[in-house]
Amino acid sequence: MTVETIGWNTAQRRGFGELIARSWSDAGLRLRYEREPAEVLAEYDIHLAAGTTAPALPPSPGELVVETFNAAEAVPPPPCMLSICFCLQPDVKR
């Protein structure tokens, strides 16, 4: 099952992308998602329709590099060296 097949909107897909990125660096979050996916998804403002199965998290990439990015200092922005990039805001409370 993919995110597209369950009809999520853009905000929900972004929230799931953030969850994926965080799960790659937080094994506890990944384990919690495996045990209680609906509760973890709700923390990202994603609510599954009745009878809908939560999508599996993709496996962690072989190597994960986390860098602090300050958009005000990057003109033009640096190129993305991965097939998937996320901007996480550590000050956002979930």
Side-chain angles (χ1 to χ4, degrees):
M1 174 182 306
T2 66
V3 174
E4 290 77 26
T5 63
I6 57 178
W8 288 356
N9 64 33
T10 301
Q12 291 167 317
R13 287 197 287 251
R14 285 184 183 147
F16 190 66
E18 182 180 340
L19 170 60
I20 291 169
R22 289 187 187 277
S23 76
W24 287 344
S25 62
D26 184 348
L29 176 62
R30 179 176 281 279
L31 286 173
R32 202 161 57 86
Y33 182 80
E34 290 172 2
R35 292 184 183 135
E36 48 192 39
E39 289 82 358
V40 174
L41 287 170
E43 294 172 19
Y44 289 82
D45 204 24
I46 301 169
H47 305 281
L48 297 175
T52 303
T53 303
L57 294 173
S60 178
E63 180 179 337
L64 178 64
V65 177
V66 178
E67 296 181 18
T68 302
F69 176 68
N70 183 344
E73 296 175 2
V75 179
C80 179
M81 302 305 286
L82 300 172
S83 60
I84 188 168
C85 294
F86 298 98
C87 293
L88 303 178
Q89 297 176 337
D91 55 21
V92 174
K93 301 215 183 219
R94 295 247 175 238

